[in-house]
């Protein structure tokens, strides 16, 4: 009874009449247009109530298969959608899973039924992929082999639930999207960093991190410590929130235009974006410290209140993201002043135009890497229906890894000899900043915070103007003299990204390309991406779009 009305080519529709799998007697008419899958229940009831329109923009995958019963000639077609829906009794909107499964049994020949189901599955996948790239209509389905994704999970991150979250959500989503992945569970701090520093990256098409921001910090630094850093840093990276500080995950979700969510809803959103597989450029910032090797940062540099709260709240880790709220209240009760000198190179319009010439926001590519790397490394984020979720115990194979040490201090010597890009804006740390830098008059601060993505934490929209690759460091500082109540008000407003419109006289915000901070005290906390680094003078320079991130 299947009625294949029109050919499956771009812009035309497919039409078929199938059975619902939940109710073998329930028949439906299914139409696949360029944008939607329309399912119409075939009953005598009024039309409106029996029609479901599912946008292919929300579809992560579709596959065809034969049933278990060898006598039954039917084939099955199943498509997975994650539309934005309002929660019951709530104003919150989040992505919720919808599975549509159909039984195709029009013919007696099981092969013919399966072929028809496969034709539909292919068409759904191709049209879903085309929704990603409406302007140039690039397909993601022309692949020579399945994508090989390494999924790194830190079992200690957050409340220690990353593996449970993987089992409950991520594994299924990746299977639905036909993404083949290898699970790697980290066993110690810097395990991931050591691994990616030594790994044969040609084996992998994407490195995805499921943790807080700390594990991605390890991976980015590991990639930039390689002698082939220029090629290595082009590998598409992905992030799934599994920690307590999920700032980059919250930023990606924010950039997607969806309204704020947290916890598992944020995970489902980021999982959906990962499955969609669109790759964008992401800025990185190089960080020079007085005697440690140069570091790379994708999120933030903090000193004062924010850095103290981040690190002091470690002891409340088992509360998850709430640890920052508790830490904030504790620190507010004993608000401190931090003395030091701050200088920066302002970001100018000229610079931005110049940068616009060599960077674009999203890379509409038919495969994850071909548009990003030399053509010798073609590969795709697979939509293959087979999926091998091998638990890869990397402990044994990596015991023999050697940790390469970088000997010299980049800020005091030329950075050229070391892996990573050259920092053209930064003088050595022991020399004064160049004349085109602004030296801040104040020396008493409550906090200094440099952000390069929008979110400081899941619920803190610290830099509302930031985008993934704007080539800008969003620099905030709060001058001493602010009352604890006023500071609390700022952080409360930050939940909506409204702190810049509170007219707080103590808060200063400016866009810069490079900065230098010299604390006067000999002891204290400086964090980079939420990780503690050497305390003392620090300077930073942004490298626009240096890395690649899967943003959906
Ligand atoms: P959270 O957001 O919960 O802090 P992170 O991803 O930031 O989660 O990880 C916290 C810290 O754990 C980071 O410093 C990271 O380098 C480190 N880490 C990564 N893997 C492990 C592991 N297996 N055991 C202990 N620490 C780890
Ligand atoms: Mg962290």
């Amino acid at each position: 009874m299947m009625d294949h009305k029109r050919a499956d080519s771009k812009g035309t529709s497919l039409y078929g009449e199938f059975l619902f799998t939940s109710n073998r007697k329930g028949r439906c008419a299914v139409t696949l247009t360029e944008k939607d899958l329309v399912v119409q229940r075939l009953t005598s009831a009024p039309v409106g109530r029996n029609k479901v329109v599912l946008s292919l923009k929300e579809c992560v995958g579709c596959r065809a298969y034969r049933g278990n019963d060898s006598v039954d000639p039917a084939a099955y077609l199943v498509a997975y959608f994650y539309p934005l829906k309002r929660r019951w009794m709530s104003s919150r909107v989040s992505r919720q899973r919808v599975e549509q499964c159909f039984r195709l049994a029009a013919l007696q020949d099981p092969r013919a039924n399966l072929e028809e189901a496969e034709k539909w599955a292919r068409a759904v996948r191709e049209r879903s992929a085309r929704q990603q790239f409406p302007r140039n209509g690039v397909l993601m389905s022309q692949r020579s082999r399945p994508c090989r994704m390494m999924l790194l999970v830190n079992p200690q991150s957050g409340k220690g639930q990353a593996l449970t979250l993987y089992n409950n959500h991520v594994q299924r989503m990746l299977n639905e999207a036909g993404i083949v992945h290898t699970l790697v569970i980290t066993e110690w701090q810097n395990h991931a960093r050591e691994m990616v520093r030594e790994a044969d990256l040609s084996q992998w098409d994407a490195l995805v991190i499921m943790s807080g921001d700390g594990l991605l910090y390890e991976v980015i630094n590991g990639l930039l410590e390689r002698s082939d850093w220029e090629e290595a840093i082009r590998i598409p990276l992905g992030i799934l929130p599994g920690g307590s500080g999920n700032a980059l995950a919250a930023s990606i979700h924010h950039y997607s235009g969806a309204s704020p969510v947290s916890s598992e809803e944020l995970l489902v959103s980021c999982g959906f974006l990962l499955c969609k597989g669109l790759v964008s450029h992401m800025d990185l910032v190089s960080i020079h410290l007085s005697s440690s090797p140069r570091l790379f940062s994708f999120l933030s540099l903090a000193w004062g209140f924010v850095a103290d709260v981040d690190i002091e709240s470690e002891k409340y880790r088992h509360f998850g993201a709430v640890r920052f709220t508790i830490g904030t209240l504790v620190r507010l009760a004993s608000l401190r002043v931090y003395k030091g000198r701050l200088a920066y190179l302002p970001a100018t319009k000229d610079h931005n135009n110049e940068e616009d010439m060599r960077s674009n926001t999203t890379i509409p590519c038919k495969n994850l890497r071909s548009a990003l790397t030399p053509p010798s490394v073609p590969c795709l984020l697979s939509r293959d229906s087979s999926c091998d979720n091998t638990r890869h115990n990397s402990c044994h194979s990596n015991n023999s890894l050697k940790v390469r040490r970088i000997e010299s201090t980049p800020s005091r010597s030329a950075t050229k000899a070391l892996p990573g890009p050259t920092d053209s804006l930064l003088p050595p740390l022991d020399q004064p900043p160049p004349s085109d830098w602004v030296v801040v008059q104040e020396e008493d601060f409550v906090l200094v915070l440099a952000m390069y993505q929008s979110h400081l934490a899941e619920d803190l929209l610290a830099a509302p103007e930031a985008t993934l690759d704007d080539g800008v460091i969003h620099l905030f500082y709060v001058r001493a003299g602010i009352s604890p109540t006023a500071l609390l008000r700022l952080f409360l407003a930050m939940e909506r990204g409204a702190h810049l419109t509170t007219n707080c006289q103590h808060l200063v915000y400016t866009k810069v390309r490079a900065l230098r901070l010299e604390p006067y005290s000999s002891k204290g906390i400086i964090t980079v991406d939420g990780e503690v680094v050497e305390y003392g003078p620090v300077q930073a320079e942004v490298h626009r779009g240096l890395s690649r991130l899967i943003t959906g």
Side-chain angles (χ1 to χ4, degrees), residues 154 156 158 186-189 211-212 214-215 218 244-245 317 531:
N154 172 5
Q156 307 297 335
T186 65
E187 297 183 21
W188 59 86
Q189 185 170 34
S211 185
L215 197 60
E218 285 190 25
S244 49
R317 165 172 291 280
E531 301 294 305

Side-chain angles (χ1 to χ4, degrees), residues 145 148 202 231 234 367 369-379:
R145 60 169 172 73
R148 296 160 305 189
S202 67
E231 167 70 18
R234 287 186 171 132
N367 73 44
R369 224 169 168 191
S370 62
L372 311 165
T373 55
S376 58
V377 202
C379 63

